């Protein structure tokens, strides 16, 4: 995760949802972030400082001074220490004080001293959340550059059902992690990715396809979108759905449809990644009615499909990068290098079905990346999310050198 080694200051204000801060701290620590917790006085009535200090492995601060010694908890120093501040739960009162600069406790003093990104995760009853004054305060805080993690819809402590539930800790961590995933070099870059299988119909109920799950292509799309790139994902039929709402997804079925979608978007993108498993052949004629079983055998007349990567590779503009994939079973390296040259790729990602845990349907992959200068990088077996990060890092390094 991108939270490793990051300094996170968690502000906890007085809401029944404060109990969720324990899990939030635990998840942040598990992600190897350094966590310090600041609580308002009312928050201590819902969860004890001892609980959060034990989980964070740091003293929890609740006031400007330590009562026993009179030692000052330096709010300016704390505000500058943090790489990110998240206030969760953020009550209507805390939102109001931060929006107006009403600084009467340690948490609001730290907020006013911060130079890092500040995230607010509201928690309150539905009518309080929708009240014009609360919405005004949220608008003010957003105008200051703060980031909001929207509350979730569900049953509230009052018994009402609506918006106002504190976002689940797992979802808060995802938002914070994505903040650190952004890379300046990826901003304003446009990325086109193909993913999944294609389906070539034989008749209204039968088709030719392959075992591709689309997991690798989707993982790559998520990695580049999290880094700040504008991602268009052309996907064949799959049960997957992009979790990042910024990813523009174009659903297709046949290789012809995938070619048309990729061709229409090719010229406007800086990077094209051909991760889809496209059928090489398709039935020359598609029966309008279901083909009835007759005789002991059946012959299908297959026609070669358009070579999407090869065709679009001839259209590459200066400055564009193209990455292809090669799934091989024999003479893997030589076949991949030949494909890289023939299709005008800048990089090719080689998978071998001879490697356990690699290839279709697995949650893991083992890749070798070859560039057009014949440099070879071999990677260990990893999750497909980690493989996507490796591919992302190769591209970011290339863009940084440009």
């Amino acid at each position: 995760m991108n939270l490793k080694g990051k300094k996170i200051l968690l502000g906890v204000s007085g809401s029944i949802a404060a109990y969720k801060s324990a899990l939030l701290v635990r998840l942040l620590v598990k992600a190897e972030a350094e966590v310090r917790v600041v609580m308002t006085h009312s928050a201590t009535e819902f969860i004890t400082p001892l609980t959060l200090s034990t989980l964070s492995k740091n003293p929890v601060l609740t006031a400007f001074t330590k009562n026993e010694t009179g030692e000052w908890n330096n709010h300016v120093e704390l505000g500058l220490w943090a790489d990110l501040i998240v206030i969760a739960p953020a009550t209507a009162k805390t939102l109001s004080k931060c929006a107006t600069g009403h600084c009467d406790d340690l948490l609001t003093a730290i907020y006013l001293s911060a130079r890092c990104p500040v995230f607010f995760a509201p928690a309150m009853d539905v009518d309080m959340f929708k009240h014009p004054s609360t919405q005004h305060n949220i608008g003010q805080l957003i105008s200051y550059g703060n980031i909001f993690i929207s509350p979730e819809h569900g049953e509230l402590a009052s018994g009402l059902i609506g918006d106002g539930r504190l976002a689940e800790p797992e979802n808060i961590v995802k938002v914070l992690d994505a903040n650190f995933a952004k890379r300046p070099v990826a901003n304003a870059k446009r990325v086109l990715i193909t993913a999944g299988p294609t389906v070539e119909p034989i008749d209204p109920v039968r088709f030719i396809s392959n075992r591709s799950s689309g997991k690798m292509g989707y993982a790559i799309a998520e990695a580049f979108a999290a880094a700040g790139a504008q991602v268009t994902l052309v996907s064949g039929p799959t049960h997957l759905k992009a979790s990042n709402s910024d990813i523009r997804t174009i659903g297709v079925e046949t290789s012809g449809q995938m070619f048309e979608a990729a061709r229409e978007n090719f010229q406007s993108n800086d990077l094209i990644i051909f991760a889809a498993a496209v059928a090489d052949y398709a039935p020359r004629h598609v029966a309008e009615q279901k083909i009835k079983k007759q005789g002991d055998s059946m012959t299908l007349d297959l026609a070669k499909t358009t070579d999407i990567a090869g065709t679009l590779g001839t259209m590459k503009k200066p400055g564009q990068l193209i990455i292809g994939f090669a799934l091989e079973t024999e003479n893997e390296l030589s076949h991949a290098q030949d494909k890289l040259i023939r299709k005008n790729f800048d990089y090719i990602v080689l998978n071998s079905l001879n490697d356990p845990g690699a290839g279709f349907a697995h949650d893991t992959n083992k890749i070798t990346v070859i560039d057009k200068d014949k440099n070879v990088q071999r990677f260990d077996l990893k999750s497909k999310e980690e493989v996507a990060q490796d591919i992302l890092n190769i591209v970011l390094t290339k863009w940084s050198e440009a």
Side-chain angles (χ1 to χ4, degrees), residues 348-360:
I348 193 160
V349 180
L350 169 63
N351 309 128
S352 172
L353 280 181
N354 296 316
D355 292 326
F360 291 148

Side-chain angles (χ1 to χ4, degrees), residues 5 28 37 46 50 60 66 117 204 215 257 270 276 280-281 305 350:
L28 291 170
V37 180
F46 293 95
L50 177 60
V60 169
K66 298 181 177 67
K215 290 178 181 178
Q257 292 169 348
D270 303 290
D280 295 319
Y281 294 88
T305 61
L350 169 63

